Amino acid sequence: MARNPERRAALVDAAVEVLAREGARGLTFRAVDAEAAVPTGTSSNYFTGRDDLLHQIDARLHQRLAPDPAKLAELLTRPKDRTLVRELMHDLMARAARDRTGHLALFEMRLEATRRPALRESFTASVRGDLAQGMAFHRETGLPGGDETVTVLYLAMLGLLLEHLTLPGVLDGVLPGITVPDALVDLIVATVVPEK
């Protein structure tokens, strides 16, 4: 297998683009090579097969979609209350807007995991690890609510992200006076997160 880490990273990012645009059926080494503008056959020198490529996409998406450490540090200087949780959720939505492709690829990974048992196992562990990390962060930071709050918040925000990034018109005008997604984020946090 080829060892150029920069080229491997570029190929994985190209794979994310293909996955988000074409779905799992369109994710071929040839399509990744074309997206990365490299000679045909390059991807097959970097990945042992489709499963390896999907696992690399999973790892890369966790890096791409993670909060900016500087922004997170700035937010954590604020009081640890519902308002801070709201700001953290708005930051999540802003990151989703900046990297819509990454989130769409993440949704495609979920669908592909339903068809590939090995991917389902590793992707489930990956997503569950993220949820556990979110719970630990919430507890250690002293934010209001417990693991139940984090779980319901996770599910509500996942649903909002899915609708907003795939079918944004579904939520427009459903609740009069509620703008999508900003006021919906506020509503979710006000409904799910206790005052303190």
Side-chain angles (χ1 to χ4, degrees):
M1 286 290 114
R3 299 285 180 219
N4 181 328
E6 293 82 17
R7 165 92 29 116
R8 177 182 292 274
L11 289 169
V12 174
D13 279 331
V16 168
E17 295 295 321
V18 171
L19 182 61
R21 185 179 61 243
E22 305 293 333
R25 289 184 186 267
L27 183 65
T28 64
F29 283 159
R30 183 179 294 275
V32 172
D33 290 342
E35 181 70 28
V38 297
T40 301
T42 302
S43 293
S44 63
N45 290 323
Y46 281 84
F47 309 103
T48 57
R50 188 179 172 86
D51 287 338
D52 182 28
L53 180 59
L54 288 166
H55 290 292
Q56 295 294 321
I57 290 171
D58 180 21
R60 178 66 178 133
L61 287 173
H62 281 81
Q63 295 170 346
R64 277 178 56 163
L65 304 179
D68 177 313
K71 174 70 173 177
L72 187 58
E74 185 273 319
L75 286 170
L76 290 177
T77 64
R78 301 177 188 182
K80 308 308 184 274
D81 56 13
R82 183 194 281 171
T83 301
L84 177 57
V85 175
R86 187 178 73 231
E87 291 305 312
L88 290 166
M89 296 306 103
H90 279 289
D91 178 63
L92 170 62
M93 292 305 294
R95 287 184 281 122
R98 283 191 304 272
D99 192 354
R100 181 176 183 268
T101 299
H103 279 84
L104 290 176
L106 196 62
F107 295 143
E108 289 289 344
M109 290 285 288
R110 286 173 176 272
L111 293 171
E112 189 63 7
T114 67
R115 296 180 282 271
R116 298 173 91 78
L119 179 62
R120 181 182 314 125
E121 184 178 335
S122 68
F123 196 58
T124 297
S126 176
V127 172
R128 188 175 185 118
D130 286 346
L131 181 57
Q133 186 178 25
M135 290 175 174
F137 172 83
H138 203 87
R139 285 190 305 270
E140 293 162 8
T141 307
L143 292 167
D147 290 351
E148 298 85 2
T149 300
V150 175
T151 302
V152 175
L153 188 61
Y154 161 78
L155 292 170
M157 291 301 296
L158 179 62
L160 177 57
L161 282 165
L162 177 65
E163 290 299 331
H164 185 63
L165 295 177
T166 61
L167 298 171
V170 168
L171 298 173
D172 289 343
V174 170
L175 299 173
I178 300 292
T179 58
V180 180
D182 294 335
L184 275 176
V185 170
D186 296 344
L187 180 60
I188 287 169
V189 172
T191 303
V192 173
V193 181
E195 286 279 357
K196 189 61 176 157

